Amino acid sequence: MSDLRPAFCDQILHHFGDRVDDGGAGIDMHNIEVAPEHLKELCGFLKESPELSFDFLSDLCGVDFLPDSPRFAVVYHLYSVAHQHRLRLKCRLGDPPHVPSITDIWTTANWHEREAFDMYGIVFDGHPNLKRIYMWDEFEGYPMRKDYPVRGYKDAYNPFGEERGDQ
Amino acid sequence: MTSVTVLQEAENKSRVTQEVLLNLGPQHPSTHGVLQLVLQLNGEIVERTEPHIGYLHRGTEKLAETFTYTQIFPLTDRLDYVCPPSNNLGFALAVERLLGIDVPERALYIRVMMVELARISGHLLIVGALPMDLGAMTALLYTMREREMLMDLMEMITGARMHTSYIRVGGVREDLPEGAAERIREFCEILPKRLKDYERLVAGNRVFLNRTKNIGVIAPKDAIDLGLSGPNLRASGVDWDMRRDSPYEIYDRLDFNVITHDDGDCYARWICRVHEMRESVRIIEQCLDHMPQGDFQVALPTIAFPVDKGLLETSMETHIHHFELSAYGFKVPKGEVYAAIEAPKGELGYYVISDGSQKPFRMRVRAPSFVNLQALEGKVGNMKYLADVIAMLGSLDPVIAEVDK
């Protein structure tokens, strides 16, 4: 928390130049923003480079910034067990959201990506088993999106839900 | 022909059996809740395991977006319901970092003590439940006896046995009641002796050893790749504990060991937890020794209720703050934060994005059980038979409420 601008930032920025954006220091860790097309290259570099060695993917989640544009984001929280430093990667996505899967870099991304797909409808290209994880397969819509009602839509099992607008 | 030769023939493929898809759960005592495992079986040999989760999904993250920050604490209680104070603490830390407030010393000590009590409570459950999954009922009855003492302590301190909601933004809800410290010390004296009993009862048991030693082995590299954390990771020989490596609260002032084990099998995960409880007892005793007098919550009337309730009758200002806090909650500055703590199950992270209002724009829970459970699908050595899957599942210690959020 104290080391707000760690030395490895310069290395990333030096190596990737204008393909990544320095998001600046947060309260807790440094931020880096990257476009989806450079995501996999950056992740591979972060994991393999010996001074960085981000071998532990703490967390991966989707965010819906409705009504902002680009609407969606995927946020990656990385940690290095060897060097004990953290980094937050952000990837802003348009609508419909598409982003390359990073399951071949960190296996743990598998379920996280399925969850982000289930909740936000973010499609992870190249994911080995991209299907719903919490909701049932026949479920329609993406419940964590900001335009999805908290109580869900009205149907036979959910009499207190909202009426669908298009009906 | 004995059953063993049948197994051997199935292994070397000289006997071909029809493959069976078996549903284990969602209602099954050894799945620790409503978890469904779809197993592809070749005789007794498990070819593929596919966990189906979501039967207990309550939409915690979606609900949190409609609640004020104080209202979210009861939601976090219900994530890992065997040790609620840890869940409270993770969320409180995230909000406190966004607010940029410091918590009084006494509250820090109380919080760490409560979290370690919760760790013992969580570990006691699994230390008894794993042998029970493998057919030894006795151990669970003994660990439940000790856990009952903890539940009584929780009730005495927080007023609730399970869903405590005790740790709040800026401190804790109430000060320790009179006599609590003595009872905690008493518990700390009893527990190490009982732990010795468990080890004598279970760790030397041949059946238990045969079913857990060298079963479900996870190599250190695979463990990190799978995202395992907490005792599950340390049992694979990775020396990482957030309490020591990125200390929060007062852990940097406390003296404790990080327990690791080299084998990475089910037994290692079990014994790690037994030893961790001893360290927790040491931490609790240190907290009690060094706990200072003073405030138990931050002295900001816009964030915490007044300690002196008599002020509500005499001070208009206090009354207004009290009303606003109850009716609307407090505002949190714009920003984002990821706060992670070493929960009993592993790295419990809260990623909170605030838009400056009284409710979070996004609250993400990085649930350790969710990630740990993934190991059932991953690269695990020596998880061959159906019975090994049960041992593996039990030793990973998932709490399904936390998996499903």
Side-chain angles (χ1 to χ4, degrees), chain B residues 363-398:
Chain B
M363 187 197 79
R364 156 80 180 168
V365 187
R366 190 267 187 205
S369 294
F370 175 77
V371 186
N372 290 346
L373 191 65
Q374 228 185 129
L376 279 179
E377 272 189 345
K379 212 162 113 192
V380 180
N382 259 343
M383 195 172 73
K384 201 172 356 170
Y385 301 115
L386 179 55
D388 299 344
V389 174
I390 303 292
M392 182 70 191
L393 176 65
S395 73
L396 284 174
D397 187 16

Side-chain angles (χ1 to χ4, degrees), chain B residues 279-299:
Chain B
E279 297 304 320
S280 292
V281 168
R282 281 180 59 200
I283 293 176
I284 293 167
E285 283 174 339
Q286 289 172 52
C287 285
L288 285 172
D289 289 344
H290 303 301
M291 191 178 290
Q293 292 297 321
D295 293 340
F296 58 87
Q297 58 175 227
V298 70

Side-chain angles (χ1 to χ4, degrees), chain A residues 28 56 58-60 62 64 79 90 107-108 111-112 115 120 131 133-134 143-146 148, chain B residues 50 53 62 65 224-226 228 240 245 336-338 347 361-362 364 366 371 374 377 403 405:
Chain A
D28 47 352
F56 190 87
S58 268
D59 190 24
L60 183 166
D64 179 6
Y79 181 72
K90 279 188 211 163
T107 315
T108 178
W111 279 20
H112 287 307
E115 188 191 341
Y120 288 96
K131 56 182 186 187
I133 189 162
Y134 284 145
M144 280 292 284
R145 287 191 177 184
K146 288 281 177 188
Y148 195 91
Chain B
E50 199 185 327
I53 63 174
K62 180 84 175 172
E65 288 172 9
I224 293 176
D225 191 38
L226 278 167
L228 295 190
W240 173 41
D245 298 333
E336 58 181 345
V337 74
Y338 178 79
E347 176 182 342
F361 181 77
R362 169 85 166 103
R364 156 80 180 168
R366 190 267 187 205
V371 186
Q374 228 185 129
E377 272 189 345
V403 173
K405 286 189 286 211

Side-chain angles (χ1 to χ4, degrees), chain B residues 293-346:
Chain B
Q293 292 297 321
D295 293 340
F296 58 87
Q297 58 175 227
V298 70
L300 286 171
T302 48
I303 287 172
F305 286 130
V307 177
D308 179 9
K309 297 282 186 276
L311 277 177
L312 282 172
E313 284 162 26
T314 53
S315 156
M316 191 62 202
E317 189 105 321
T318 314
H319 208 99
I320 292 169
H321 285 311
H322 187 277
F323 176 77
E324 291 219 323
L325 198 51
S326 326
Y328 312 117
F330 52 84
K331 284 188 175 165
V332 170
K334 221 171 169 171
E336 58 181 345
V337 74
Y338 178 79
I341 66 160
E342 184 75 30
K345 309 285 184 289

